[in-house]
Every structure is written in C-alpha cells, then in structure tokens.
Amino acid sequence: GSGACSACRLLAEINEPTSEAIIVLTNVLNDTAADEVVRSWAAAALARLGRMNVLVNYISQLPADIIVSGLAAPYLAFRNDGQFSLLDYRPLEEALGRYPHLADAVAAELAPGRSFCKITPDEAAAARSGLTSPWPFIRRHAEIVLERLEDKL
C-alpha cells in the first residue's frame, strides 16, 4: 500500500544505490501479488538510482505500465526530490533500442505538459546530447529542459 510507495520513493530520494536497496526494489518490482502502483514506484526508484538496466532485464515479465513508469521517471519532476543522478538519456535510448515497441508509451509519459525535471547547469551538456537523439520525444524533452535552464540563468 501507501507505506510501500513511500519506502520506494524514499529510497529514490536518498539516492544511495546500495545493493540492499536494489535487491528490495527488484523484489517489489517482481512481486506479482503487490499492487501495480507500488511496483511502478519500485520501477521508478530503480531508474532514478541509475539501475534502468535492472528494469530492462525484466521487461518481458512485467506489465508495460510498470516498465514505462520506470523508464520515464528520471526525466520527470519527481526526480528533483532529494538527491538525484545527473541527466542521462543513454539508458533510456538503450532500453528503447532493445524494446522499440515501448517508445510510444514512454513518449506519452514524456509529452510536453508533463512536469519535467529541472536540470542544473552541470547537466546542460547531457541535455544537449539529447538534442541529437534518434527519438523525437527525447529531442523535445532536451529542448524544453534546456530552454527552462537558460531562462533561469
């Protein structure tokens, strides 16, 4: 329930990808008896902890909604709560390269109008690399977060 969601969120905000945290989140992710919302939080927390590869390993066994929540999480405003890993589109591009059928659902999660992450000046280079992504929705995300950064500077 909500306690498990809070625990997943807290692990993401602390952003210490210890093996214990990854194991707990992976177990929640794969717990078919758990609520799908809780499993989605676990997916999002894993992605925020830089472990999108763990999600990708289980793509064939998980409902698409859970996977998509995880794949989109590091790029939405949620990632700015607490400590966060620097912007990097490569794990998402690698996941979509292997599972392109998920691209439309991830694109819907990252559509303009959603609350995107706020990037720091340290992340501008990573955002600029997103401008050359083969995925149009990643290019658009990169454009928007860069524009907002420049407005703040």
Side-chain angles (χ1 to χ4, degrees):
S2 64
C5 287
S6 300
C8 291
R9 186 184 294 143
L10 206 60
L11 284 171
E13 288 177 13
I14 296 166
N15 196 22
E16 288 287 332
T18 61
S19 49
E20 295 86 357
I22 303 307
I23 290 166
V24 167
L25 291 168
T26 304
N27 289 342
V28 173
L29 180 72
N30 288 311
D31 181 359
T32 51
D35 188 272
E36 199 160 299
V37 172
V38 175
R39 294 173 74 194
S40 292
W41 271 108
L46 281 164
R48 268 195 58 181
L49 291 171
R51 294 295 188 279
M52 202 177 274
N53 59 317
V54 173
L55 287 186
V56 173
N57 292 342
Y58 296 106
I59 278 180
S60 57
Q61 299 148 255
L62 293 168
D65 288 354
I66 292 174
I67 289 290
V68 168
S69 295
L71 295 178
Y75 311 101
L76 293 168
F78 151 71
R79 85 120 210 197
N80 290 95
D81 296 332
Q83 296 296 314
F84 57 86
S85 305
L86 294 179
L87 182 71
D88 186 356
Y89 293 112
R90 289 169 305 187
L92 178 58
E93 289 173 340
E94 283 164 25
L96 295 175
R98 285 175 61 185
Y99 300 97
H101 67 282
L102 294 170
D104 289 346
V106 177
E109 282 290 300
L110 295 178
R114 295 297 308 267
S115 50
F116 289 167
C117 60
K118 291 178 184 65
I119 63 168
T120 64
D122 295 345
E123 296 174 287
R128 280 195 285 277
S129 75
L131 297 173
T132 60
S133 175
W135 302 95
F137 70 92
I138 291 178
R139 293 196 301 267
R140 195 168 53 227
H141 183 279
E143 269 169 40
I144 292 169
V145 296
L146 276 167
E147 273 169 27
R148 290 190 186 151
L149 175 66
E150 283 155 16
D151 287 347
K152 283 199 329 235
L153 294 179

